[in-house]
């Protein structure tokens, strides 16, 4: 306790350290502090409990530092199970664990390093998505949710193809059972959007028809819903998904765009909802990407005329 002042300094200065050291020493100390914290809390000794709570959090706060280009990344296997348990059972300790994952995943260079994390993709991705789809009660909880989703998107880059496919199919099925515009539907759509970029051209085509086209183009007999907040959110998500697909360099997206570019242009220019508040920027971004990808666009083309009129609207 007397030397605890050094912990915040270590957090900032640590790099090129050892995951094995974190496993052997830091986790052990953190667990001892956690045990004392819980024991003192049960005895209603609040002041002492708070001291050990702070120590536990500070020890776990060292984790991102140990993840800054560790010299023994293969020893991630030693802490993998513990990290999963912390993410599941200790919401207060999620931030440093998520920050540590960011440090690790952003600096993977070799296939051997990526393979270390690919092994645990199924378990971790499920945990990250569970955190993201949990409705927050505070601003802090929402920030943790967003952090978990950012880590998940980084992890997707090293996730095996079969796991990506399984996660995608599961997320789509869950989304089908939720009402559009609800919190859970919106969060699942975000997950589907992230996973879509790693799917085959056929799966992207199916999602394009079922969610993008169906949102942008409505039956003429349907009543006008342009003031419906739910519709605005769905349109924003549809344009964002289309924009990500158009910009992605992943194989499935590139193949889909090459095959369907004319159809994408047709959907954009014939959309039932032209200028709906909050969607204009993403809609025009999609127009711009399509025009950049087409080699024979002139000022007389419909897409150019509509783009100019909407910019001036």
């Amino acid at each position: 306790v007397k030397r605890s002042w050094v912990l915040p300094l270590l957090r900032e200065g640590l790099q090129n350290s050892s995951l094995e050291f974190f496993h052997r020493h830091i986790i052990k100390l953190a667990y001892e502090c956690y045990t004392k914290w819980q024991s003192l809390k049960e005895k209603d000794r609040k002041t002492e409990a708070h001291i050990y709570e702070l120590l536990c959090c500070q020890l776990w706060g060292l984790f991102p530092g140990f993840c800054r280009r560790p010299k023994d990344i293969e020893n991630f296997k030693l802490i993998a199970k513990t990290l999963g348990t912390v993410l599941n059972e200790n919401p207060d300790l999620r931030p440093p664990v998520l920050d540590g994952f960011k440090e690790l995943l952003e600096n993977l260079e070799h296939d051997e390093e990526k393979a270390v994390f690919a092994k645990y993709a199924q378990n971790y991705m499920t945990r990250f998505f569970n955190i993201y789809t949990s409705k927050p009660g505070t601003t802090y909880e929402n920030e943790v949710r967003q952090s978990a989703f950012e880590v998940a998107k980084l992890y997707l880059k090293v996730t095996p193809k079969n796991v990506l496919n399984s996660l995608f199919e599961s997320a789509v099925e869950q989304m089908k059972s939720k009402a559009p515009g609800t919190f859970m539907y919106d969060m699942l759509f975000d997950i589907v959007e992230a996973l879509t970029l790693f799917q085959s051209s056929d799966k992207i085509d199916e999602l394009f028809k079922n969610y993008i086209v169906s949102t942008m183009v409505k039956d003429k007999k349907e009543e006008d819903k342009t003031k419906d907040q739910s519709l605005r959110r769905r349109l924003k998500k549809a344009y964002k998904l289309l924009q990500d697909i158009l910009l992605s360099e992943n194989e499935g997206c590139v193949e889909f765009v090459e095959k369907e570019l004319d159809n994408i242009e047709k959907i954009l220019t014939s959309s039932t909802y032209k200028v709906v508040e909050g969607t204009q920027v993403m809609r025009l971004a999609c127009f711009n990407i399509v025009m950049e990808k087409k080699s024979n666009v002139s000022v007389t083309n419909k897409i150019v005329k509509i783009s100019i009129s909407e910019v001036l609207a």
Side-chain angles (χ1 to χ4, degrees), residues 168-226:
F168 177 77
E169 290 168 6
S170 175
V172 170
E173 283 303 309
Q174 289 182 62
M175 189 170 69
K176 287 179 181 177
S177 67
K178 308 300 178 185
T182 61
F183 172 83
M184 187 57 75
Y185 179 93
D186 287 347
M187 297 308 102
L188 287 168
F189 194 101
D190 290 344
I191 291 171
V192 169
E193 177 186 349
L195 289 163
T196 296
L197 305 185
F198 298 88
Q199 300 305 306
S200 67
S201 175
D202 290 343
K203 288 187 177 179
I204 296 171
D205 183 55
E206 184 179 345
L207 195 75
F208 175 73
K209 292 173 181 174
N210 291 338
Y211 292 94
I212 296 178
V213 176
S214 65
T215 300
M216 293 182 183
V217 181
K218 293 292 185 180
D219 192 308
K220 291 182 180 179
K221 295 179 182 179
E222 217 172 73
E223 62 179 297
D224 181 27
K225 297 179 181 178
T226 54

Side-chain angles (χ1 to χ4, degrees), residues 9-246:
L9 299 179
L10 283 173
R11 176 185 170 99
E12 298 304 318
L14 273 169
Q15 58 181 327
N16 302 118
S17 191
S18 163
L19 295 178
E20 191 273 339
F21 184 91
F22 185 80
H23 164 71
R24 186 180 296 274
H25 300 286
I26 306 302
I27 288 181
K28 181 181 177 181
L29 284 172
Y31 181 73
E32 289 176 0
C33 289
Y34 179 81
T35 302
K36 289 184 179 179
W37 164 22
Q38 297 303 313
S39 175
L40 291 166
K41 188 167 70 171
E42 288 177 4
K43 297 174 183 176
D44 202 31
R45 293 162 62 179
K46 296 180 181 179
T47 302
E48 294 168 275
H50 180 66
I51 292 172
Y52 285 98
E53 175 188 5
L54 182 61
L55 282 172
C56 180
C57 292
Q58 287 181 325
L59 286 164
W60 270 104
L62 298 177
F63 183 60
F66 276 92
C67 295
R68 291 189 194 109
R69 299 188 180 279
K71 60 186 178 182
D72 61 340
I73 201 165
E74 69 279 0
N75 280 327
F76 178 80
K77 62 186 177 183
L78 298 175
I79 59 176
K81 184 177 180 180
T82 300
L83 296 178
T85 301
V86 170
L87 286 172
N88 271 359
E89 300 177 5
N90 300 88
D92 291 338
L93 301 179
R94 284 173 181 168
V97 171
L98 293 170
D99 286 345
F101 269 106
K102 287 179 186 176
E103 292 281 358
L104 290 167
L105 294 168
E106 286 176 344
N107 294 294
L108 296 178
E109 296 177 352
H110 307 295
D111 289 342
E112 295 81 2
E113 295 175 344
K114 295 175 183 178
V116 171
F117 291 88
K119 179 180 178 181
Y120 304 101
Q122 179 74 57
N123 288 333
Y124 281 133
M125 293 303 294
T126 300
R127 286 174 168 83
F128 297 144
F129 288 156
N130 282 342
I131 294 171
Y132 186 62
T133 54
S134 299
K135 198 164 188 176
T138 64
T139 301
Y140 170 78
E141 290 176 0
N142 191 52
E143 289 173 355
V144 174
R145 281 181 58 254
Q146 296 296 334
S147 180
F149 191 49
E150 291 304 312
V151 172
K153 287 191 285 187
L154 289 172
Y155 216 123
L156 287 175
K157 297 176 183 178
V158 297
T159 299
K161 188 68 176 177
N162 64 313
V163 177
L164 288 169
N165 292 341
S166 174
L167 291 169
F168 177 77
E169 290 168 6
S170 175
V172 170
E173 283 303 309
Q174 289 182 62
M175 189 170 69
K176 287 179 181 177
S177 67
K178 308 300 178 185
T182 61
F183 172 83
M184 187 57 75
Y185 179 93
D186 287 347
M187 297 308 102
L188 287 168
F189 194 101
D190 290 344
I191 291 171
V192 169
E193 177 186 349
L195 289 163
T196 296
L197 305 185
F198 298 88
Q199 300 305 306
S200 67
S201 175
D202 290 343
K203 288 187 177 179
I204 296 171
D205 183 55
E206 184 179 345
L207 195 75
F208 175 73
K209 292 173 181 174
N210 291 338
Y211 292 94
I212 296 178
V213 176
S214 65
T215 300
M216 293 182 183
V217 181
K218 293 292 185 180
D219 192 308
K220 291 182 180 179
K221 295 179 182 179
E222 217 172 73
E223 62 179 297
D224 181 27
K225 297 179 181 178
T226 54
K227 295 182 180 180
D228 177 9
Q229 291 296 325
S230 173
L231 173 64
R232 292 180 187 180
R233 289 200 300 273
R234 297 202 306 276
L235 278 169
K236 287 175 71 173
K237 289 185 176 296
Y239 282 122
K240 175 65 165 57
L241 175 55
L242 180 57
Q243 183 179 349
D244 287 346
I245 292 171
L246 287 166

Side-chain angles (χ1 to χ4, degrees), residues 208 213 216-217 242 260-272 274 283 287 290 294 302-303 306:
F208 175 73
V213 176
M216 293 182 183
V217 181
L242 180 57
E260 296 292 334
L261 188 59
D262 287 341
N263 192 34
I264 292 171
E265 178 183 357
K266 181 181 177 182
I267 295 302
L268 284 170
T269 56
S270 62
S271 175
T272 307
K274 304 299 182 185
R283 175 172 162 81
F287 273 75
V290 169
K294 293 180 75 70
K302 185 177 180 181
I303 190 170
I306 292 177

